[in-house]
Amino acid sequence: MNDAEASRIAEKIHQALARHLRIERERIRPGSLLREDLGLDSADTIELVFKLEDLFHIQIPDDDLEKFKTVGDLTAYLAAKTQAF
Amino acid sequence: MNSYRSQVAAEVKGFRPEIYFDARKVEKTDRSAQFALAAAKMAIEDAGIDFTRAERYRSGVCVGSGTGGMIVGERQLTALYHHATAHKVHPNFIPMNTMNAPSGQIAIEWGLNGPNLTIATACSSGAHAIGQAMNLIRGGQAEVMLAGGTEACITPLTFAGFCSLRALSTHFNDVPEKASRPFDRKRDGFVMGEGAAILVLENLSHARRRSANIYAEVAGWGATNEAHHMVIPEQTGLAIARTIELALADARLGACQVDYINAHATSTPAGDQVEIRAIKEVCQAHAGDVLINATKSLVGHTIGAAGAIGAIACVLTLQTGLIHPTINLEEPDPECALPGIRNEVQQRRVGVGLVHSFGFGSNNAVLVLRKVQ
């Protein structure tokens, strides 16, 4: 995966998050903590994952959910996951 | 889709839920809960009531609904079969679809920790919810109850179901505004509607303490089951008559004191006749003096919200002395004609009003509302 592809995925996730949380895109940074900074509770996280699965045409195993602490974790995970295809 | 026998429905147009609550909640609620949240907000603001922290465990919610979150339910079922994978079912399907989503969402929105109930008695749900809320206040479990009904089931599957049951009007597809015509000779079924109505009920001392604008008193109510048939009313009307008598006895009033009845009157051939038979049975010679109207002629049949919408019409009639017309009553059916049913506004001092509400499953409910002196 090249840098352009990685930043395309990051942008897609940032936009999805902004829509999901109804906050400004600028508030979302790679280091933002999903729970503490962006206020996602466990139900929100499940909803977000549902949206991302749809967006990227993938399935995310439940065991992987606990890996997502920051926005960056999500981006890296999805970049790796989509690269695998 | 033109394969539907009936082509008429009374939809709420231009409803914008984000006016009433946070946009993030809009995505997490079915239209039925959205209607209920909107109505609850209007009711609370109109009542000018402030739920202080100390009172929250004494303040509850009781909402009726016939079908629950049908819109989200049908969409998710379609998604499941279309994609043939369980992963396509939205994580919020269950909390959005569940029958008690409206009452739960209202409690969450306003911080009401008291009793929280959902009543499902089909088309009588809204009236039963008000009756049960009154019981909770009478019994001392709550001081304030938000009570009413909500429905949003003008959906492909539900509409088809009512069509197949031959419950809906079909002869006025070209003139939809004429289709809902209770008590008229040409009535041929009901028109599906949607919406919500929520009332703020509170015990009298609570209302007086906060100098509330008291619209009316819920003086009593009656509830019965005909134990007869899921969808066909018992033809003699005696079960409905008994419900009216029980309601009046609960309110310690006699039939001759009834000034006004907000009829259930859905515009079905059998239902309207049975209801008038029951009124004549209870009121005898006084039946000709009672003013009666059918709110469903104006807004269609809102299923689980209907009894609560009827209650609001009754409350406003007690306040204003104005009885809205039963529109489309062009040629009264002699089998269900009474002088007090008119296709025009009537005006008279109304001290006592009844709200009739009957539902599939053989259910009957009658509320007695009274002007507060």
Side-chain angles (χ1 to χ4, degrees):
Chain A
M1 179 178 295
N2 57 31
D3 286 354
E5 180 66 5
S7 74
R8 195 186 61 79
I9 289 174
E11 184 54 31
K12 219 167 158 179
I13 292 171
H14 291 190
Q15 279 180 11
L17 259 171
R19 265 201 308 276
H20 183 59
L21 298 169
R22 293 182 181 271
I23 58 175
E24 286 164 12
R25 156 75 188 79
E26 289 66 36
R27 272 189 57 195
I28 296 163
R29 299 172 197 286
S32 303
L33 290 160
L34 296 173
R35 182 178 288 267
E36 294 81 357
D37 296 337
L38 300 178
L40 263 78
D41 60 24
S42 61
D44 292 328
T45 306
I46 292 168
E47 254 183 89
L48 176 67
V49 165
F50 181 81
K51 284 185 182 174
L52 293 175
E53 284 184 332
D54 202 41
L55 208 56
F56 289 94
H57 308 289
I58 54 164
Q59 276 184 16
I60 301 172
D62 284 353
D63 289 345
D64 289 349
L65 298 188
E66 62 193 40
K67 295 177 186 164
F68 309 143
K69 307 288 183 216
T70 65
V71 174
D73 294 340
L74 264 180
T75 314
Y77 178 88
L78 286 166
K81 192 97 178 168
T82 44
Q83 202 173 28
F85 277 96
Chain B
M1 221 185 295
N2 59 12
S3 60
Y4 289 95
R5 288 182 177 86
S6 174
Q7 299 281 317
V8 186
E11 293 171 287
V12 173
K13 296 280 191 192
F15 175 64
R16 290 177 53 207
E18 68 277 10
I19 293 174
Y20 305 99
F21 49 90
D22 187 79
R24 276 190 73 189
K25 190 169 264 193
V26 174
E27 282 182 9
K28 296 176 193 285
T29 44
D30 181 81
R31 186 167 163 93
S32 60
Q34 293 173 0
F35 283 159
L37 279 163
K41 182 179 167 69
M42 292 179 212
I44 289 166
E45 287 177 356
D46 186 69
I49 194 163
D50 181 25
F51 296 104
T52 61
R53 198 165 290 276
E55 279 189 326
R56 287 185 175 174
Y57 279 90
R58 309 279 300 147
S59 306
V61 186
C62 186
V63 178
S65 175
T67 66
M70 277 309 279
I71 294 174
V72 72
E74 287 188 23
R75 282 189 190 151
Q76 292 303 307
L77 191 68
T78 308
L80 175 65
Y81 284 101
H82 178 73
H83 297 288
T85 164
H87 292 275
K88 285 293 179 184
V89 174
H90 197 280
N92 279 343
F93 159 58
I94 297 293
M96 288 169 78
N97 174 255
T98 186
M99 288 294 291
N100 73 325
S103 57
Q105 288 286 4
I106 291 171
I108 293 163
E109 183 77 4
W110 294 93
L112 307 179
N113 300 114
N116 195 287
L117 294 179
T118 295
I119 304 287
T121 56
C123 306
S124 55
S125 304
H128 272 109
I130 292 169
Q132 291 297 348
M134 189 190 79
N135 282 357
L136 287 169
I137 293 172
R138 263 187 183 169
Q141 285 103 328
E143 282 198 293
V144 180
M145 289 294 295
L146 295 186
T150 189
E151 202 73 63
C153 65
I154 305 175
T155 57
L157 180 64
T158 314
F159 197 83
F162 279 117
C163 280
S164 293
L165 195 56
R166 312 297 197 275
L168 304 182
S169 168
T170 56
H171 291 145
F172 298 88
N173 288 343
D174 296 332
V175 274
E177 69 279 9
K178 296 278 185 191
S180 188
R181 43 195 313 119
F183 305 122
D184 185 80
R185 197 194 278 269
K186 292 194 181 120
R187 72 189 184 282
D188 71 331
F190 72 82
V191 169
M192 269 183 84
E194 59 174 359
I198 301 284
L199 294 85
V200 176
L201 306 187
E202 54 191 316
N203 71 30
L204 188 60
S205 57
H206 188 276
R208 291 246 159 93
R209 214 163 43 236
R210 67 178 194 90
S211 305
N213 170 28
I214 304 172
Y215 281 98
E217 174 194 1
V218 186
W221 77 299
T224 65
N225 191 284
E226 299 185 353
H228 173 68
H229 191 283
M230 275 304 290
V231 301
I232 301 171
E234 188 275 313
Q235 285 304 296
T236 63
L238 290 177
I240 293 173
R242 182 78 183 126
T243 320
I244 300 170
E245 286 166 354
L246 287 168
L248 286 169
D250 189 41
R252 298 194 176 133
L253 291 167
C256 58
Q257 289 169 281
V258 175
D259 301 306
Y260 161 73
I261 297 174
N262 186 281
H264 180 64
T266 61
S267 187
T268 59
D272 295 7
Q273 287 185 4
V274 171
E275 185 171 8
I276 296 303
R277 219 167 276 153
I279 292 170
K280 286 177 176 168
E281 171 71 23
V282 175
C283 296
Q284 299 286 318
H286 177 61
D289 302 327
V290 181
L291 302 179
I292 300 170
N293 61 5
T295 302
K296 292 177 186 72
S297 70
L298 302 171
V299 299
H301 188 357
T302 54
I303 321 283
I309 290 176
I312 288 183
C314 183
V315 163
L316 292 175
T317 289
L318 288 164
Q319 280 271 300
T320 61
L322 294 169
I323 292 91
H324 75 65
T326 297
I327 65 164
N328 296 323
L329 179 62
E330 289 162 0
E331 191 186 345
D333 174 358
E335 290 294 317
C336 51
L338 276 173
I341 310 173
R342 303 229 184 117
N343 187 354
E344 63 185 9
V345 176
Q346 302 180 79
Q347 187 164 19
R348 190 194 293 172
R349 189 196 173 276
V350 173
V352 173
L354 304 185
V355 180
H356 288 183
S357 195
F358 316 132
F360 283 179
S362 244
N363 265 302
N364 298 320
V366 172
L367 305 173
V368 184
L369 304 181
R370 182 164 54 187
K371 206 180 179 92
V372 175
Q373 303 305 327

